[in-house]
C-alpha cells in the first residue's frame, strides 16, 4: 500500500482539480455563449475586460489571442522596427525576445539578478550602451515578472526614464502579483499577460490581455487586434493581426477570476511550506521587499551539477519537475546572433545550469507537498 502511494504520479499543474471546484458554474458560463452564439466579440469579452481593469487598477484592458500577441501588439502600436533596440532579460521564455525580432527590431539581451531572477537594472543600463555602440536606437525595455514575482520597477523605471525607453511589462507569469502595494498592470506604458491554461489565471485555450492607462494606445491596440481597422469597417488604416480573445475563453476567465485571489493565497501557502521544508537543502526563491508573488512556477537552485540527478530521482518517485529554462535566450539557436549587454549575462547562464521547478498549484494538498519535500531531501542526502 505504502509502495503504491509513494509512486502515485503527481501532476505538475492540476487543471482538473480547479475544473472540479468550478463545476456547473463553468458549464453554465460556456452554455450561455453557446446559446447566444456571439463567439467573437460577445458580451463576455467586454465584461471580462472591465473586470480585469477593476482587478488591477489599469484604465484600459484590451484582451487578445495570446500573451505573445499582447507583447507584439504593443510593439506594433509603437511602430518598433528595423534599427530599433528593445532590451529584454536573457533568462526568460523566448516569446519576450521573439516579439522584438518579429517586428524587425533587435532584442538586446540583458542579465538578471541572482536573488529574484528578474532583469538587473545595472545590466539594463549597460545594454543601452551596447545598443548605441551597435548603431541601434534603444526604444523600449521589456522586464519580465518571472515565475510570478514582479520585476524591480523602481530601478527599471529610473533607467527607462533616463534613457527615454518605454516600459512594456511582460506579466505573462505575474498577473495578480503586486509591487509596493500596487498590482501589476499599471507599471510603465503597458503590461502584457497570458491566459495559457497552465498560467495561474488560465483559460481553456490560448488567450492574453494588454493593460494600459494610455487611451490612445488602447485605441490603436483595438485596431491592430482586428487587421488594423479604421473607423470604417473596410478601411484598414494600419497593418494588424487576427488577435481577438474568443467569447468562450472570456466566459471561462470571468468564472476563474472569481476564485483567483483565493487560489493565489493557496499558492502562497504551498510556497511557504516548500521554503520551510527545503530552505536548508536547495536555494529556495525569496521575495524582494515590497513584492508579492503568484508563484506561477516554484523554482529552486541546485548548484554543483546535481540538478539532473535530482530530476531523475524525483521522477522515480512520481514527482515531476521542469527546467525553466535550460538555455537562456542568447544561448538558443534562433537568438544566438543578437547582442548581449556589455559585461555579459553570466547570472542568466548560471541559472540555466542550476534551476529546477517543482509542482505548484492551488490544489496541491499538504500530504502531497510533504511527499515532494521528502523526495527532494532524500535525493539530495545521497
Ligand atoms: C514570460 C512569458 N512571456 C510571454 C509568454 C507568451 O504567452 P503565450 O503562450 O500566451 O503566447 C509566456 C508564456 O509562457 C511567458 O512565460
Amino acid at each position: 500500500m505504502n509502495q503504491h502511494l509513494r509512486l502515485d504520479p503527481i501532476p505538475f499543474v492540476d487543471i482538473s482539480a480547479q475544473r472540479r471546484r468550478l463545476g456547473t458554474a463553468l458549464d453554465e458560463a460556456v452554455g450561455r455563449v453557446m446559446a447566444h452564439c456571439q463567439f467573437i466579440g460577445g458580451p463576455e469579452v467586454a465584461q471580462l475586460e472591465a473586470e480585469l481593469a477593476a482587478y488591477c487598477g489599469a484604465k484600459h484592458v484590451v484582451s487578445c489571442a495570446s500573451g505573445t500577441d499582447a507583447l507584439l501588439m504593443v510593439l506594433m502600436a509603437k511602430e518598433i522596427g528595423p534599427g530599433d533596440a528593445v532590451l529584454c532579460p536573457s533568462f526568460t521564455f523566448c516569446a519576450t525576445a521573439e516579439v522584438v525580432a518579429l517586428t524587425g527590431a533587435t532584442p538586446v539581451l540583458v542579465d538578471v539578478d541572482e536573488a529574484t531572477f528578474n532583469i538587473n537594472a545595472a545590466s539594463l543600463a549597460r545594454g543601452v550602451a551596447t545598443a548605441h555602440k551597435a548603431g541601434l536606437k534603444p526604444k523600449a525595455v521589456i522586464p519580465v515578472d518571472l515565475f510570478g514575482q514582479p520585476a524591480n520597477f523602481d530601478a527599471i523605471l529610473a533607467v527607462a526614464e533616463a534613457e527615454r525607453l518605454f516600459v512594456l511589462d511582460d506579466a505573462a507569469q505575474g498577473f495578480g502579483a503586486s509591487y509596493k502595494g500596487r498590482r501589476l498592470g499599471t507599471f510603465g506604458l503597458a503590461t502584457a499577460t497570458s491566459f495559457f491554461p497552465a498560467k495561474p489565471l488560465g483559460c481553456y485555450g490560448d488567450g492574453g490581455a494588454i493593460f494600459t492607462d494610455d487611451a490612445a494606445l488602447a485605441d490603436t491596440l483595438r485596431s491592430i487586434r482586428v487587421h488594423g481597422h479604421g473607423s470604417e469597417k473596410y478601411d484598414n488604416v494600419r497593418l494588424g493581426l487576427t488577435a481577438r480573445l474568443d467569447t468562450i475563453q472570456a466566459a471561462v476567465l470571468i468564472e476563474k477570476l472569481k476564485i483567483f485571489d483565493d487560489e493565489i493565497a493557496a499558492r502562497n501557502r504551498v510556497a511557504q511550506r516548500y521554503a520551510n521544508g527545503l530552505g536548508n537543502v536547495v536555494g529556495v526563491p525569496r521575495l524582494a521587499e515590497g513584492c508579492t508573488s503568484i508563484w506561477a512556477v516554484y523554482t529552486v537552485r541546485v548548484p554543483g551539477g546535481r540538478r539532473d540527478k535530482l530530476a531523475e530521482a524525483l521522477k522515480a518517485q512520481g514527482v515531476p519537475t521542469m527546467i525553466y529554462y535550460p538555455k537562456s535566450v542568447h544561448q538558443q539557436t534562433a537568438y544566438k546572433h543578437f547582442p548581449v549587454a556589455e559585461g555579459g549575462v553570466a547570472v542568466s547562464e548560471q541559472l540555466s545550469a542550476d534551476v529546477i521547478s517543482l509542482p505548484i498549484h492551488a490544489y496541491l494538498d499538504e500530504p502531497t507537498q510533504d511527499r515532494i519535500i521528502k523526495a527532494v531531501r532524500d535525493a539530495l542526502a545521497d
Side-chain angles (χ1 to χ4, degrees):
M1 180 67 183
N2 276 344
Q3 181 70 5
H4 171 72
L5 273 181
R6 199 164 60 88
L7 293 175
D8 229 6
I10 297 168
F12 192 73
V13 173
D14 193 349
I15 292 171
S16 56
Q18 185 202 47
R19 169 77 188 93
R20 283 193 295 279
R21 172 177 175 182
L22 287 167
T24 52
L26 256 181
D27 299 336
E28 285 161 14
V30 173
R32 283 192 290 276
V33 181
M34 301 300 277
H36 67 53
C37 287
Q38 295 177 61
F39 297 116
I40 296 292
E44 286 81 358
V45 175
Q47 183 187 336
L48 174 70
E49 289 178 344
E51 289 183 8
L52 289 171
Y55 183 82
C56 73
K59 288 199 177 115
H60 308 279
V61 175
V62 179
S63 60
C64 61
S66 69
T68 306
D69 280 344
L71 292 166
L72 178 63
M73 287 163 65
V74 175
L75 298 182
M76 289 171 73
K78 297 298 288 177
E79 298 182 356
I80 296 299
D84 295 335
V86 177
L87 295 109
C88 314
S90 193
F91 191 61
T92 179
F93 182 60
C94 66
T96 314
E98 182 182 37
V99 292
V100 178
L102 283 172
T103 66
T106 302
V108 176
L109 299 158
V110 169
D111 212 3
V112 296
D113 271 336
E114 186 110 39
T116 62
F117 309 160
N118 280 330
I119 194 165
N120 175 287
S123 180
L124 171 61
R126 289 195 294 273
V128 174
T130 307
H132 282 302
K133 282 185 195 159
L136 299 164
K137 288 188 222 118
K139 291 277 181 70
V141 51
I142 311 183
V144 178
D145 310 303
L146 201 72
F147 305 146
Q149 167 157 215
N152 181 358
F153 285 103
D154 283 349
I156 294 159
L157 288 164
V159 176
E161 198 179 332
E163 303 290 350
R164 297 189 178 176
L165 310 173
F166 71 81
V167 176
L168 166 56
D169 180 23
D170 181 347
Q173 301 180 11
F175 183 69
S178 62
Y179 178 82
K180 300 199 172 168
R182 248 167 78 197
R183 279 204 175 118
L184 296 183
T186 56
F187 293 90
L189 174 73
T191 300
T193 198
S194 163
F195 301 130
F196 182 78
K199 300 291 190 224
L201 183 62
C203 57
Y204 286 162
D206 279 309
I210 304 152
F211 306 81
T212 185
D213 284 351
D214 183 326
L217 175 64
D219 277 347
T220 307
L221 292 168
R222 287 189 196 100
S223 162
I224 289 173
R225 179 166 67 174
V226 190
H227 303 289
H229 68 74
S231 48
E232 285 172 45
K233 192 169 177 198
Y234 289 110
D235 180 22
N236 294 296
V237 296
R238 57 175 64 79
L239 297 182
L241 305 165
T242 310
R244 296 166 291 233
L245 180 74
D246 69 67
T247 314
I248 288 180
Q249 301 306 342
V252 168
L253 285 163
I254 288 168
E255 296 309 310
K256 292 203 185 187
L257 193 56
K258 291 177 188 163
I259 58 165
F260 190 38
D261 279 343
D262 183 57
E263 292 186 333
I264 292 173
R267 286 172 174 276
N268 271 276
R269 286 193 293 276
V270 179
Q272 191 55 57
R273 291 190 86 247
Y274 276 163
N276 295 343
L278 294 172
N280 60 353
V281 289
V282 295
V284 293
R286 303 274 175 208
L287 294 182
E289 218 188 309
C291 287
T292 66
S293 177
I294 58 164
W295 302 104
V297 180
Y298 192 87
T299 300
V300 300
R301 285 187 76 172
V302 184
R306 294 176 304 154
R307 174 191 60 194
D308 294 344
K309 270 198 177 158
L310 172 63
E312 264 175 46
L314 293 180
K315 193 174 171 197
Q317 295 294 319
V319 178
T321 57
M322 299 288 279
I323 310 291
Y324 299 117
Y325 298 93
K327 285 183 177 183
S328 292
V329 174
H330 71 282
Q331 296 172 313
Q332 298 178 30
T333 308
Y335 299 91
K336 276 184 181 147
H337 60 291
F338 291 120
V340 298
E342 285 171 22
V345 286
V347 176
S348 298
E349 288 175 5
Q350 194 57 53
L351 289 174
S352 286
D354 291 352
V355 291
I356 182 165
S357 305
L358 302 176
I360 191 163
H361 57 83
Y363 305 93
L364 195 67
D365 59 33
E366 291 193 1
T368 312
Q369 294 164 33
D370 292 341
R371 186 180 139 196
I372 294 167
I373 291 168
K374 182 172 182 312
V376 173
R377 296 191 69 91
D378 287 352
L380 292 173
D382 290 346

